[in-house]
Amino acid sequence: MNPQILRPKNTVMLMIDVQEKLLPAIYGKESVELNAKKLIKASQAMEIPLKVTEQYPKGLGTTVPGLAEEISSDDVFEKKAFGCFDEEGFDDFFRCTRRNQVVLFGIESHICVHTTAMQLLERDFEVTVVADGCGSRENGNHEIALRNMSACGVHVLPMESVVYQLIKVSGTPEFKQLLPLFK
């Protein structure tokens, strides 16, 4: 695995399917939602584009209200495919950012997150999955997916590692803005 340093100007964040009818069934759902919110705040503070998917929202609901209020509807993509790139139009929706590093988080780790991570690797993106920003209905499936993604070349890190790597140094306006999220 090659070393990778996340850089705000090269990074896009992709939040997958953190939806009203999916999140309640997820093991550790409170942590997943809290860390997703912190990642959204970090993307805003550092001007990192955020893309969001919703799996069949007619049946599974839309993004949970606590997160939906933080995102732009222009950055939401509806899908039925489990791998984001298997959905027609996703490639255009996603590639408009022209960035080569992806921070990936959401649900479920072993289905949509895993498949999309593999698709990103196939397309030569540098992929970081936020371990505590993802989840599955069964924690064992989450853990297996994280191990497999790591073995395939995905960088698997906790949310704080990702955000602090993007911030780089203390004392900056971004650091001061985001510091309350970590206290």
Side-chain angles (χ1 to χ4, degrees):
M1 183 181 303
N2 292 326
Q4 173 184 305
I5 301 294
L6 291 167
R7 292 174 174 79
K9 291 190 182 314
N10 296 342
T11 300
V12 59
M13 293 194 186
L14 176 58
M15 182 174 79
I16 296 181
D17 306 344
V18 185
Q19 293 167 246
E20 297 166 311
K21 292 187 181 175
L22 289 175
L23 186 62
I26 300 301
Y27 179 88
K29 61 185 173 271
E30 296 86 4
S31 177
V32 171
E33 184 174 10
L34 178 63
N35 288 323
K37 190 163 198 156
K38 290 177 180 180
L39 289 160
I40 291 168
K41 296 281 190 192
S43 75
Q44 294 165 343
M46 292 182 269
E47 299 179 357
I48 296 171
L50 171 70
K51 297 294 187 180
V52 176
T53 66
E54 294 177 345
Q55 179 78 25
Y56 187 61
K58 289 179 185 174
L60 298 174
T62 57
T63 301
V64 294
L67 303 179
E69 63 197 27
E70 302 289 336
I71 61 177
S72 165
S73 61
D74 292 339
D75 294 326
V76 177
F77 186 85
E78 292 183 20
K79 66 183 183 66
K80 290 183 182 173
F82 301 116
C84 291
F85 287 93
D86 288 327
E87 190 71 42
E88 186 175 334
F90 183 80
D91 198 42
D92 293 335
F93 167 79
F94 188 75
R95 286 202 184 267
C96 68
T97 64
R98 291 180 164 65
R99 294 168 183 235
N100 68 331
Q101 296 180 315
V102 182
V103 172
L104 186 59
F105 57 102
I107 56 181
E108 283 191 76
S109 304
H110 67 292
I111 303 172
C112 297
V113 173
H114 182 275
T115 303
T116 301
M118 297 301 107
Q119 292 173 331
L120 286 161
L121 288 175
E122 282 185 330
R123 288 161 174 78
D124 295 323
F125 284 94
E126 295 176 8
V127 184
T128 299
V129 167
V130 183
D132 52 357
C134 294
S136 295
R137 288 164 286 148
E138 294 182 22
N139 193 48
N141 289 338
H142 169 71
E143 295 296 330
I144 290 167
L146 293 179
R147 283 194 303 272
N148 186 69
M149 287 186 281
S150 179
C152 291
V154 172
H155 295 262
V156 178
L157 295 170
M159 179 274 305
E160 284 194 17
S161 294
V162 170
V163 173
Y164 278 90
Q165 191 175 116
L166 286 163
I167 292 173
K168 293 186 186 189
V169 295
S170 63
T172 65
E174 295 85 3
F175 175 80
K176 292 175 183 175
Q177 182 180 349
L178 294 172
L179 186 60
L181 298 176
F182 300 104
K183 288 187 174 185

